[in-house]
Amino acid sequence: MEDNFMQIAVASGKGGTGKTTVAVHLYHFIGKHTDKKVVLADCDVEEPNDMLFFPLLKPTGKKTVYQLIPEIDTEACTFCKECVEWCEFNAITVVPNQKFAEVDASLCHSCGACLMACKHKAITEKPFPVGTITRHKTGADKNLLEGRLKVGSAMQTTLIKKLKNEIEQNGAVVILDAPPGTSCPVVETVSDADYIILVAEPTPFGLHDLKITVELLGKLKKPFGIIINKAGLGSDDIYSFLKEKKIELLGEIPFSKEFATCYASGEMLKNIPEETEQIYREIIGKVIRPAPGRTGL
């Protein structure tokens, strides 16, 4: 990995906190106020929406992502059920008296255990589409990558891993817009990140889910800081928690009905208030490594 390549994951314990808002603004302002190349990767593959805020997107490529799914040849199969015993995900059904054997693609994790288990070479692997990765250009040194899961597929983690592999390590700052929550897709998104920004709202639900996410990142031993979005809406309990746990508060973004209206219409990058821009500049100065010869923004 290049020394000046940095990945920043933007995550949240719950949906609706403003995670995508923060990710898109960071992408916008890093491109505007630094000399770094910047990439935004939408890893919320079940419902990606980063691209909605860039009406002049220029698609530069699209590829389908495949997962290798085992297929059982019932002519060669002896229905011994050895593969069923080896499968940790209950993805294989074998009914000997009906001479039935099948792999459920929605449960299979492509671990290859069943191929190892079958002594009769009755199992082969076939490519099965799980989603797509689309690359867009929003500026000279600004690229947006989007992962979009195929409807019905449960392979979010597989697609996110493939999406991250598409990112060029050419001295860029990469913003990974993670799925909400603390499940496996989130862990995959933040696993290689150099720094995680957690976005939280100052409400009882927001604090509850923030605590769960903080616990997760502690187990992963990942450095992180907090942005409080919709500041001024709710209580001050979240600030007491940050002080108690000695967690860095990167910035506060005040609640604004006008901004919510712009967001809903997909125009949140238009007419950004100067004070909001300054907040993001300060946040960026805290989390990205300055280029050689520079001290920050």
Side-chain angles (χ1 to χ4, degrees):
M1 182 179 295
E2 297 183 13
D3 291 339
N4 57 350
F5 172 75
M6 184 180 189
Q7 293 191 97
I8 302 169
V10 182
S12 63
K14 63 182 287 292
T17 61
K19 171 183 59 63
T20 292
T21 297
V22 170
V24 170
H25 275 96
L26 287 174
Y27 172 71
H28 174 73
F29 287 125
I30 290 173
K32 180 178 179 181
H33 292 298
T34 78
D35 55 3
K36 295 178 178 291
K37 297 177 181 178
V38 59
V39 176
L40 174 61
D42 196 342
C43 299
D44 190 0
V45 297
E46 288 188 272
E47 45 185 343
N49 61 357
D50 289 358
M51 64 178 294
L52 298 178
F53 303 103
F54 301 93
L56 301 179
L57 276 181
K58 298 178 180 178
T60 57
K62 184 174 182 179
K63 66 186 297 184
T64 301
V65 174
Y66 295 91
Q67 175 191 11
L68 292 175
I69 300 294
E71 186 174 78
I72 303 174
D73 179 0
T74 54
E75 294 296 324
C77 181
T78 63
F79 307 99
C80 66
K81 301 183 73 171
E82 190 76 14
C83 57
V84 176
E85 297 297 324
W86 278 53
C87 182
E88 292 288 334
F89 306 101
N90 299 314
I92 305 175
T93 301
V94 176
V95 185
N97 61 1
Q98 298 295 320
K99 297 196 179 303
F100 177 87
E102 188 174 79
V103 177
D104 186 338
S106 66
L107 296 176
C108 178
H109 284 58
S110 301
C111 67
C114 58
L115 277 79
M116 297 291 294
C118 185
K119 300 179 180 65
H120 309 285
K121 301 190 183 302
I123 301 177
T124 55
E125 289 182 314
K126 303 291 184 183
F128 188 85
V130 296
T132 59
I133 295 173
T134 306
R135 183 183 294 271
H136 302 274
K137 204 165 191 62
T138 66
D141 284 322
K142 299 175 69 178
N143 291 282
L144 189 158
L145 277 69
E146 178 196 83
R148 186 172 293 271
L149 194 69
K150 180 183 177 183
V151 174
S153 174
M155 294 297 106
Q156 301 100 314
T157 302
T158 298
L159 183 56
I160 292 169
K161 187 176 296 185
K162 295 286 188 182
L163 174 62
K164 289 165 61 180
N165 288 340
E166 289 292 312
I167 298 171
E168 297 177 3
Q169 299 182 10
N170 57 350
V173 174
V174 178
I175 307 298
L176 303 171
D177 186 4
T182 54
S183 59
C184 294
V186 177
V187 174
E188 174 57 43
T189 302
V190 307
S191 61
D192 301 318
D194 299 294
Y195 191 84
I196 294 96
I197 295 175
L198 293 182
V199 183
E201 57 187 29
T203 63
F205 282 127
L207 176 56
H208 174 271
D209 292 332
L210 173 64
K211 289 179 179 178
I212 296 173
T213 314
V214 166
E215 183 179 356
L216 170 67
L217 295 183
K219 291 178 179 179
L220 295 175
K221 294 181 170 52
K222 287 290 182 179
F224 66 93
I226 309 293
I227 291 178
I228 295 180
N229 193 32
K230 309 173 191 175
L233 181 69
S235 69
D236 292 334
D237 292 346
I238 194 169
Y239 297 96
S240 300
F241 172 72
L242 298 184
K243 184 177 181 180
E244 175 191 348
K245 298 297 182 180
K246 298 179 180 179
I247 298 172
E248 182 180 13
L249 176 60
L250 297 171
E252 300 173 81
I253 302 169
F255 173 73
S256 167
K257 287 185 178 180
E258 292 76 15
F259 176 80
T261 300
C262 291
Y263 178 94
S265 62
E267 298 183 340
M268 70 177 184
L269 294 180
K270 292 183 178 180
N271 302 317
I272 301 173
E274 185 176 337
E275 56 270 26
T276 300
E277 183 166 350
Q278 183 57 35
I279 291 170
Y280 277 102
R281 291 189 67 175
E282 292 173 2
I283 292 170
I284 292 167
K286 293 176 182 178
V287 300
I288 70 170
R289 294 190 292 261
R294 295 184 61 183
T295 58
L297 294 181

